[in-house]
Amino acid sequence: MNINLVPEKGIMYALYIDRMVFQEYTKDQLLKDAYLEDKLLEMHLFDENKEYRYIKSRLKEIECVIDDSIEHEDVYVESTYIQSNLDEEVTSSSNRVNVVNYIQYNDEDLLTITNYRLQEVKS
């Protein structure tokens, strides 16, 4: 994992074999914590402007940075709420995340979502 590509601070959305973590982070905190474990499947570290994505599979590890500089013609943004446990209230703004969908059109004007990123929602 290339820590230099991660936003300085933002939201961590990490999926492990046995749990999900959705919390705020700072880059300093990531350096101190053992954020990579054998049980990690996928991690999204994002702020308002970019997302660092790390995916671990049996065959390889994938990492990429996604921001508005990727090729696209339009965007479609939708908001969703993250619930990390059943007792949690899911309508608080601290649980809200935007999904920015990057759109391209082909020669027949058919829409294709070519990529997406998660975006922090400031309350």
Side-chain angles (χ1 to χ4, degrees), residues 35-90:
Y35 54 88
L36 288 178
E37 302 177 11
D38 289 337
K39 295 182 179 183
L40 177 68
L41 300 172
E42 187 172 328
M43 180 179 287
H44 302 260
L45 302 166
F46 56 96
D47 62 11
E48 289 180 284
N49 302 310
K50 75 177 185 177
E51 174 188 344
Y52 171 83
R53 190 177 300 158
Y54 177 83
I55 300 169
K56 191 172 167 183
S57 71
R58 288 180 293 195
L59 302 176
K60 62 181 179 177
E61 296 176 356
I62 301 168
E63 64 180 334
C64 60
V65 174
I66 302 164
D67 59 20
D68 288 335
S69 68
I70 68 166
E71 185 177 337
H72 67 284
E73 295 177 37
D74 203 355
V75 294
Y76 169 71
V77 180
E78 57 185 326
S79 290
T80 189
Y81 293 92
I82 303 295
Q83 182 177 359
S84 58
N85 63 52
L86 295 176
D87 300 329
E88 186 176 19
E89 178 67 33
V90 294

